[in-house]
Amino acid sequence: QVQLVESGGGLVQPGGSLRLSCTASGFRLDDYHIGWFRQAPGKEREGDSCIARKGGLTSYADSVKGRFTISGDNGDNTGYLQMNSLNPEDTAVYYCAVTSIFWACSLEEGAYSDWGQGTQVTVSS
């Protein structure tokens, strides 16, 4: 059974950092492209970052470039999203997702077939 579980969310002050984890079970995460998405209250889900399978090319939304770093499986079947310089606009539920189609990862929600349940990130003083 394919399953993705996010963790690492929480409350952080502006300027702070969090590292989100995306743990996979039932399949080899390294064989898939990984995407991280966010959904803020009242807004549509949007892609933040993605990494191609086997630690390949990465892509970032302009809003997170230079602040977020995505990494793939390092042998623990878990992917990570390091988030630095967080601001209140980053408050959202964050989801990881995987896909095996296409030759590169995508920031488009429709490209992904399997999703985690999400983890809440709140940036507030």
Side-chain angles (χ1 to χ4, degrees):
Q1 181 181 358
V2 172
Q3 187 176 22
L4 292 168
V5 178
E6 301 96 335
S7 60
L11 173 64
V12 62
Q13 292 187 341
S17 298
L18 283 174
R19 188 177 77 156
L20 305 184
S21 301
C22 174
T23 301
S25 59
F27 67 101
R28 278 175 46 90
L29 186 62
D30 205 36
D31 291 338
Y32 289 75
H33 307 317
I34 305 168
W36 281 95
F37 294 77
R38 69 168 76 180
Q39 187 165 23
K43 294 187 177 181
E44 294 186 353
R45 191 155 54 184
E46 58 183 5
D48 269 356
S49 58
C50 69
I51 185 168
R53 61 171 63 94
K54 302 189 187 305
L57 293 175
T58 58
S59 182
Y60 295 93
D62 288 343
S63 60
V64 305
K65 279 181 182 176
R67 300 190 299 125
F68 290 11
T69 303
I70 188 172
S71 58
D73 181 12
N74 288 325
D76 54 0
N77 223 33
T78 298
Y80 299 93
L81 182 67
Q82 178 66 44
M83 306 188 296
N84 298 329
S85 302
L86 287 163
N87 57 64
E89 290 68 40
D90 294 317
T91 295
V93 177
Y94 284 74
Y95 300 87
C96 67
V98 297
T99 183
S100 60
I101 61 176
F102 306 122
W103 64 272
C105 71
S106 170
L107 296 180
E108 296 297 324
E109 181 178 0
Y112 292 83
S113 54
D114 294 281
W115 294 79
Q117 84 291 346
T119 185
Q120 176 70 46
V121 171
T122 302
V123 185
S124 175
S125 56

